[in-house]
Coordinates of all heavy atoms in Angstrom, one line a residue:
G146 N -7.0 -21.7 18.7 CA -8.1 -21.2 17.8 C -7.4 -20.8 16.5 O -6.4 -20.1 16.5
I147 N -8.0 -21.2 15.4 CA -7.5 -20.9 14.1 C -8.7 -20.2 13.3 O -9.8 -20.8 13.2 CB -7.1 -22.2 13.3 CG1 -6.0 -22.9 14.1 CG2 -6.7 -21.9 11.9 CD1 -6.0 -24.4 13.9
T148 N -8.5 -19.0 12.9 CA -9.6 -18.1 12.5 C -9.5 -17.6 11.1 O -8.4 -17.5 10.5 CB -9.8 -17.0 13.5 OG1 -8.6 -16.3 13.7 CG2 -10.2 -17.5 14.9
P149 N -10.6 -17.2 10.5 CA -10.7 -16.7 9.1 C -10.5 -15.2 9.0 O -10.5 -14.5 10.0 CB -12.1 -17.1 8.7 CG -12.9 -16.9 9.9 CD -12.0 -17.3 11.1
F150 N -10.3 -14.8 7.7 CA -10.0 -13.3 7.5 C -11.3 -12.5 7.7 O -11.1 -11.3 8.0 CB -9.5 -13.1 6.1 CG -10.6 -13.1 5.0 CD1 -11.3 -12.0 4.7 CD2 -10.8 -14.3 4.3 CE1 -12.3 -12.0 3.8 CE2 -11.8 -14.3 3.3 CZ -12.5 -13.1 3.0
N151 N -12.5 -13.0 7.6 CA -13.6 -12.1 7.5 C -14.1 -11.5 8.8 O -14.8 -10.5 8.7 CB -14.8 -12.8 6.7 CG -15.4 -14.0 7.4 OD1 -14.7 -14.7 8.2 ND2 -16.6 -14.2 7.3
F152 N -13.9 -12.1 9.9 CA -14.2 -11.5 11.2 C -13.0 -11.6 12.1 O -13.0 -12.5 13.0 CB -15.4 -12.2 11.8 CG -16.7 -11.9 11.1 CD1 -17.4 -12.7 10.3 CD2 -17.3 -10.6 11.3 CE1 -18.6 -12.4 9.7 CE2 -18.5 -10.2 10.7 CZ -19.1 -11.1 9.9
M155 N -14.5 -10.7 15.9 CA -15.6 -11.5 16.5 C -15.3 -13.0 16.6 O -15.5 -13.6 17.7 CB -16.8 -11.3 15.6 CG -18.1 -12.0 16.1 SD -19.4 -11.8 14.9 CE -19.1 -13.1 13.7
V156 N -14.8 -13.6 15.5 CA -14.5 -15.0 15.6 C -13.4 -15.4 16.6 O -13.6 -16.3 17.4 CB -14.3 -15.6 14.2 CG1 -13.9 -17.1 14.3 CG2 -15.6 -15.5 13.3
W159 N -15.0 -15.3 20.0 CA -15.9 -16.5 20.3 C -15.1 -17.5 21.0 O -15.5 -18.2 21.9 CB -16.4 -17.2 19.0 CG -17.4 -16.5 18.2 CD1 -18.1 -15.4 18.4 CD2 -17.8 -17.0 16.8 NE1 -18.9 -15.1 17.3 CE2 -18.8 -16.1 16.4 CE3 -17.4 -18.1 16.0 CZ2 -19.4 -16.3 15.2 CZ3 -18.1 -18.2 14.8 CH2 -19.1 -17.3 14.4
K174 N -4.2 -18.5 16.3 CA -3.5 -18.4 15.0 C -4.5 -17.7 14.1 O -5.4 -18.4 13.5 CB -3.2 -19.8 14.5 CG -2.1 -20.0 13.5 CD -2.2 -19.1 12.3 CE -3.2 -19.7 11.3 NZ -3.5 -18.7 10.2
P175 N -4.5 -16.4 14.0 CA -5.5 -15.7 13.2 C -5.2 -15.8 11.7 O -4.1 -16.3 11.3 CB -5.3 -14.2 13.7 CG -4.0 -14.1 14.2 CD -3.5 -15.5 14.6
S176 N -6.1 -15.2 10.9 CA -5.8 -15.2 9.4 C -4.6 -14.3 9.2 O -4.4 -13.2 9.7 CB -7.0 -14.6 8.7 OG -6.7 -14.4 7.4
E177 N -3.8 -14.8 8.3 CA -2.6 -14.0 7.9 C -2.9 -12.8 7.0 O -2.0 -12.0 6.7 CB -1.5 -15.0 7.2 CG -2.0 -15.6 5.9 CD -2.9 -16.8 6.0 OE1 -3.6 -16.9 7.0 OE2 -2.8 -17.7 5.2
K178 N -4.2 -12.7 6.6 CA -4.6 -11.6 5.7 C -4.9 -10.3 6.5 O -4.8 -9.2 6.0 CB -5.8 -12.0 4.9 CG -5.6 -13.2 4.0 CD -6.7 -13.4 3.1 CE -6.4 -14.5 2.1 NZ -7.1 -15.7 2.5
G205 N 0.6 -17.2 11.0 CA 1.2 -18.2 10.2 C 0.2 -18.8 9.2 O -0.9 -18.3 9.1
D206 N 0.7 -19.8 8.6 CA -0.1 -20.5 7.6 C -0.2 -22.0 7.9 O -0.2 -22.4 9.1 CB 0.4 -20.3 6.2 CG 1.9 -20.7 6.0 OD1 2.5 -21.3 7.0 OD2 2.5 -20.5 4.9
K207 N -0.2 -22.9 6.9 CA -0.4 -24.3 7.2 C 0.7 -24.9 8.1 O 0.4 -25.7 9.0 CB -0.4 -25.1 5.9 CG -0.6 -26.6 6.0 CD -0.8 -27.2 4.6 CE -0.6 -28.7 4.6 NZ -1.3 -29.4 5.7
Q208 N 1.9 -24.4 8.0 CA 3.0 -24.9 8.9 C 2.7 -24.6 10.3 O 2.9 -25.5 11.2 CB 4.3 -24.1 8.5 CG 5.3 -25.1 7.9 CD 6.6 -24.4 7.6 OE1 7.2 -23.8 8.6 NE2 7.0 -24.3 6.4
A209 N 2.2 -23.4 10.6 CA 1.8 -23.1 12.0 C 0.7 -23.9 12.5 O 0.7 -24.4 13.6 CB 1.5 -21.6 12.1
V210 N -0.3 -24.1 11.6 CA -1.5 -24.9 12.0 C -1.1 -26.4 12.2 O -1.5 -27.0 13.2 CB -2.6 -24.8 10.9 CG1 -3.7 -25.8 11.1 CG2 -3.1 -23.4 10.8
D211 N -0.3 -26.9 11.4 CA 0.2 -28.3 11.5 C 1.0 -28.5 12.8 O 0.9 -29.6 13.5 CB 1.0 -28.8 10.3 CG 0.1 -29.0 9.1 OD1 -1.2 -29.1 9.3 OD2 0.6 -29.1 8.0
L214 N -1.6 -28.9 15.5 CA -2.3 -30.2 15.4 C -1.4 -31.3 15.8 O -1.9 -32.3 16.3 CB -2.8 -30.4 13.9 CG -3.8 -29.4 13.4 CD1 -4.1 -29.6 11.9 CD2 -5.1 -29.4 14.2
F224 N -11.8 -24.2 15.2 CA -11.5 -23.7 13.8 C -12.7 -23.0 13.2 O -13.8 -23.6 13.3 CB -11.0 -24.8 12.9 CG -10.8 -24.4 11.5 CD1 -9.7 -23.8 11.1 CD2 -11.8 -24.6 10.5 CE1 -9.5 -23.3 9.7 CE2 -11.7 -24.1 9.2 CZ -10.5 -23.5 8.8
V225 N -12.5 -21.9 12.5 CA -13.5 -21.4 11.6 C -12.9 -21.0 10.3 O -11.9 -20.3 10.3 CB -14.2 -20.1 12.3 CG1 -15.2 -19.5 11.3 CG2 -15.0 -20.5 13.5
G226 N -13.4 -21.4 9.2 CA -12.9 -21.1 7.9 C -13.6 -21.9 6.8 O -14.8 -22.2 7.0
S227 N -12.9 -22.2 5.8 CA -13.6 -22.9 4.7 C -13.7 -24.4 5.0 O -13.0 -24.9 5.8 CB -12.8 -22.6 3.4 OG -11.4 -23.0 3.5
T228 N -14.6 -25.0 4.3 CA -15.0 -26.4 4.6 C -13.8 -27.4 4.4 O -13.6 -28.3 5.2 CB -16.2 -26.8 3.8 OG1 -17.3 -26.1 4.4 CG2 -16.5 -28.3 3.9
G229 N -13.1 -27.3 3.3 CA -12.0 -28.2 3.1 C -11.0 -28.2 4.2 O -10.6 -29.3 4.7
I230 N -10.7 -27.0 4.7 CA -9.7 -26.9 5.8 C -10.3 -27.4 7.1 O -9.7 -28.0 7.9 CB -9.1 -25.5 5.9 CG1 -8.8 -24.9 4.6 CG2 -8.0 -25.4 6.9 CD1 -7.6 -25.4 3.9
A231 N -11.6 -27.1 7.3 CA -12.3 -27.5 8.5 C -12.3 -29.0 8.6 O -12.0 -29.6 9.7 CB -13.8 -27.0 8.5
Y233 N -10.1 -31.1 7.3 CA -8.7 -31.5 7.5 C -8.4 -31.3 9.0 O -7.8 -32.2 9.6 CB -7.8 -30.6 6.6 CG -6.3 -30.7 7.0 CD1 -5.6 -31.9 6.7 CD2 -5.7 -29.6 7.6 CE1 -4.3 -31.9 7.1 CE2 -4.4 -29.7 8.0 CZ -3.7 -30.8 7.7 OH -2.3 -30.9 8.1
I234 N -8.8 -30.2 9.5 CA -8.4 -29.9 10.9 C -9.2 -30.8 11.9 O -8.6 -31.3 12.9 CB -8.7 -28.4 11.2 CG1 -7.5 -27.7 10.6 CG2 -8.8 -28.1 12.7 CD1 -7.5 -26.2 10.6
A247 N -15.1 -27.5 14.3 CA -14.5 -26.9 13.1 C -15.7 -26.4 12.2 O -16.5 -27.2 11.7 CB -13.7 -27.9 12.3
M248 N -15.8 -25.1 12.1 CA -16.9 -24.5 11.4 C -16.4 -24.2 9.9 O -15.3 -23.7 9.8 CB -17.4 -23.2 12.0 CG -18.4 -23.3 13.1 SD -17.8 -24.2 14.5 CE -19.2 -24.4 15.5
G249 N -17.3 -24.5 9.0 CA -16.9 -24.4 7.6 C -17.7 -23.3 6.8 O -18.2 -22.4 7.4
G250 N -17.8 -23.5 5.5 CA -18.4 -22.6 4.6 C -19.9 -22.6 4.6 O -20.5 -23.3 5.5
A251 N -20.5 -21.8 3.7 CA -22.0 -21.7 3.8 C -22.6 -21.3 2.5 O -21.9 -20.9 1.6 CB -22.3 -20.6 4.8
K252 N -23.9 -21.5 2.4 CA -24.6 -21.0 1.2 C -26.0 -20.8 1.8 O -26.8 -21.8 1.9 CB -24.7 -22.1 0.1 CG -25.2 -21.6 -1.2 CD -24.1 -21.1 -2.1 CE -24.6 -20.6 -3.4 NZ -23.5 -20.1 -4.3
E280 N -18.8 -11.1 2.1 CA -17.8 -11.9 2.7 C -18.2 -12.2 4.2 O -17.5 -11.9 5.1 CB -16.4 -11.2 2.7 CG -15.9 -11.1 1.3 CD -14.7 -10.1 1.2 OE1 -14.7 -9.1 2.0 OE2 -13.7 -10.4 0.5
R281 N -19.4 -12.8 4.3 CA -19.9 -13.2 5.7 C -20.4 -14.6 5.5 O -21.1 -14.9 4.6 CB -21.1 -12.3 6.1 CG -20.8 -10.9 6.5 CD -22.1 -10.3 6.9 NE -22.0 -8.8 7.2 CZ -22.9 -7.9 6.9 NH1 -24.0 -8.3 6.2 NH2 -22.7 -6.7 7.2
C282 N -20.1 -15.4 6.6 CA -20.6 -16.8 6.5 C -22.1 -16.8 6.7 O -22.7 -17.9 6.4 CB -19.9 -17.6 7.5 SG -20.3 -17.1 9.2
M283 N -22.7 -15.8 7.1 CA -24.1 -15.7 7.3 C -24.8 -14.8 6.2 O -26.0 -14.5 6.3 CB -24.5 -15.3 8.7 CG -24.2 -16.4 9.7 SD -25.2 -17.9 9.5 CE -26.7 -17.4 10.4
V325 N -11.2 -8.7 -0.1 CA -10.0 -8.7 0.8 C -8.7 -8.7 0.0 O -7.7 -8.1 0.4 CB -10.1 -9.9 1.8 CG1 -10.1 -11.2 1.1 CG2 -9.1 -9.7 2.9
H329 N -8.8 -13.2 -4.1 CA -10.2 -13.5 -3.8 C -11.1 -12.8 -4.9 O -12.2 -13.4 -5.3 CB -10.6 -13.0 -2.4 CG -11.9 -13.5 -1.9 ND1 -12.2 -14.8 -1.8 CD2 -13.0 -12.8 -1.6 CE1 -13.5 -14.9 -1.4 NE2 -14.0 -13.7 -1.3
K332 N -11.3 -15.1 -7.7 CA -12.1 -16.2 -7.4 C -13.6 -15.9 -7.6 O -14.4 -16.7 -8.2 CB -11.8 -16.7 -6.0 CG -12.6 -18.0 -5.6 CD -12.3 -18.4 -4.2 CE -13.5 -19.2 -3.7 NZ -13.6 -19.3 -2.3
E383 N -19.7 -22.3 -2.5 CA -19.8 -21.0 -1.8 C -19.0 -20.0 -2.7 O -17.9 -20.3 -3.1 CB -19.2 -21.1 -0.4 CG -19.1 -19.8 0.3 CD -18.4 -20.0 1.7 OE1 -17.3 -20.6 1.7 OE2 -18.9 -19.5 2.7
F385 N -18.8 -16.4 -1.8 CA -18.2 -15.5 -0.8 C -17.9 -14.2 -1.3 O -16.8 -13.6 -1.1 CB -17.0 -16.2 -0.1 CG -16.9 -15.9 1.3 CD1 -17.9 -16.2 2.2 CD2 -15.7 -15.3 1.9 CE1 -17.8 -16.0 3.6 CE2 -15.6 -15.0 3.2 CZ -16.7 -15.4 4.1
Y409 N -24.3 -27.3 2.3 CA -24.0 -26.5 3.5 C -25.3 -26.2 4.3 O -26.4 -26.2 3.7 CB -23.5 -25.1 3.0 CG -22.2 -25.1 2.4 CD1 -22.0 -24.8 1.0 CD2 -21.0 -25.5 3.1 CE1 -20.7 -24.8 0.4 CE2 -19.8 -25.6 2.5 CZ -19.6 -25.2 1.2 OH -18.4 -25.3 0.7
N411 N -25.5 -23.7 7.1 CA -25.2 -22.7 8.2 C -26.5 -22.0 8.6 O -27.0 -22.3 9.7 CB -24.2 -21.7 7.7 CG -23.2 -21.4 8.7 OD1 -22.8 -22.2 9.6 ND2 -22.7 -20.1 8.7
M434 N -29.0 -22.4 11.9 CA -29.5 -21.1 12.4 C -30.6 -20.6 11.5 O -30.4 -20.6 10.3 CB -28.3 -20.2 12.5 CG -27.3 -20.6 13.6 SD -25.8 -19.6 13.6 CE -24.9 -20.4 12.3
F450 N -23.6 -20.4 18.4 CA -23.4 -20.2 16.9 C -22.9 -21.5 16.4 O -21.9 -22.1 16.8 CB -22.4 -19.1 16.7 CG -22.3 -18.8 15.2 CD1 -22.9 -17.6 14.7 CD2 -21.6 -19.6 14.3 CE1 -22.8 -17.3 13.3 CE2 -21.5 -19.3 13.0 CZ -22.1 -18.2 12.5
G451 N -23.6 -22.0 15.3 CA -23.1 -23.2 14.7 C -24.1 -23.7 13.6 O -25.3 -23.6 13.7
G452 N -23.5 -24.2 12.5 CA -24.3 -24.7 11.4 C -24.4 -26.2 11.4 O -23.9 -26.9 12.4
S456 N -21.2 -27.3 7.0 CA -20.9 -26.0 7.7 C -20.3 -26.1 9.0 O -19.9 -25.1 9.6 CB -22.1 -25.1 7.7 OG -22.6 -24.8 6.4
A457 N -20.3 -27.3 9.6 CA -19.7 -27.5 10.9 C -19.4 -29.0 11.2 O -20.2 -29.8 11.0 CB -20.6 -26.9 12.0
Q463 N -20.2 -22.8 19.0 CA -19.3 -21.7 19.6 C -20.1 -20.9 20.6 O -21.3 -20.7 20.5 CB -19.0 -20.7 18.5 CG -18.2 -21.3 17.3 CD -16.7 -21.4 17.6 OE1 -16.2 -20.9 18.7 NE2 -16.0 -22.1 16.8
Ligands
NAD501 P1 -9.6 -20.4 5.1 O1 -10.1 -21.7 5.3 O2 -8.8 -20.1 3.9 O3 -8.6 -20.0 6.3 C1 -9.0 -20.1 7.6 C2 -7.8 -20.3 8.5 O4 -7.2 -21.6 8.1 C3 -6.8 -19.2 8.4 O5 -6.3 -19.0 9.7 C4 -5.7 -19.9 7.5 O6 -4.4 -19.4 7.8 C5 -5.8 -21.3 7.8 N1 -5.5 -22.2 6.7 C6 -5.6 -21.9 5.4 N2 -5.2 -22.9 4.6 C7 -4.8 -23.9 5.5 C8 -4.2 -25.2 5.3 N3 -4.0 -25.7 4.1 N4 -3.9 -25.9 6.4 C9 -4.2 -25.4 7.6 N5 -4.7 -24.2 7.8 C10 -5.0 -23.4 6.8 O7 -10.8 -19.4 5.2 P2 -10.8 -17.8 4.9 O8 -10.7 -17.6 3.5 O9 -9.9 -17.1 5.8 O10 -12.3 -17.4 5.4 C11 -13.5 -17.6 4.6 C12 -14.2 -18.9 4.9 O11 -14.5 -19.0 6.3 C13 -15.5 -19.0 4.1 O12 -15.6 -20.3 3.7 C14 -16.5 -18.7 5.2 O13 -17.8 -19.3 5.0 C15 -15.9 -19.3 6.4 N6 -16.5 -18.8 7.6 C16 -17.3 -19.7 8.3 C17 -17.8 -19.2 9.5 C18 -18.7 -20.2 10.3 O14 -19.0 -19.9 11.4 N7 -19.2 -21.2 9.7 C19 -17.6 -17.9 10.0 C20 -16.7 -17.1 9.2 C21 -16.2 -17.6 8.1

Side-chain angles (χ1 to χ4, degrees):
I147 301 156
T148 53
F150 79 84
N151 66 327
F152 283 108
M155 183 183 84
V156 172
W159 287 354
K174 204 305 284 170
S176 170
E177 63 278 33
K178 296 191 178 102
D206 57 2
K207 180 171 165 52
Q208 248 185 58
V210 171
D211 285 344
L214 298 173
F224 172 84
V225 173
S227 54
T228 288
I230 314 291
Y233 166 72
I234 283 172
M248 274 62 188
K252 192 91 180 181
E280 292 168 323
R281 287 183 185 142
C282 67
M283 288 296 276
V325 67
H329 190 60
K332 182 181 155 200
E383 177 185 48
F385 217 57
Y409 293 118
N411 219 33
M434 293 170 280
F450 185 104
S456 293
Q463 298 279 353

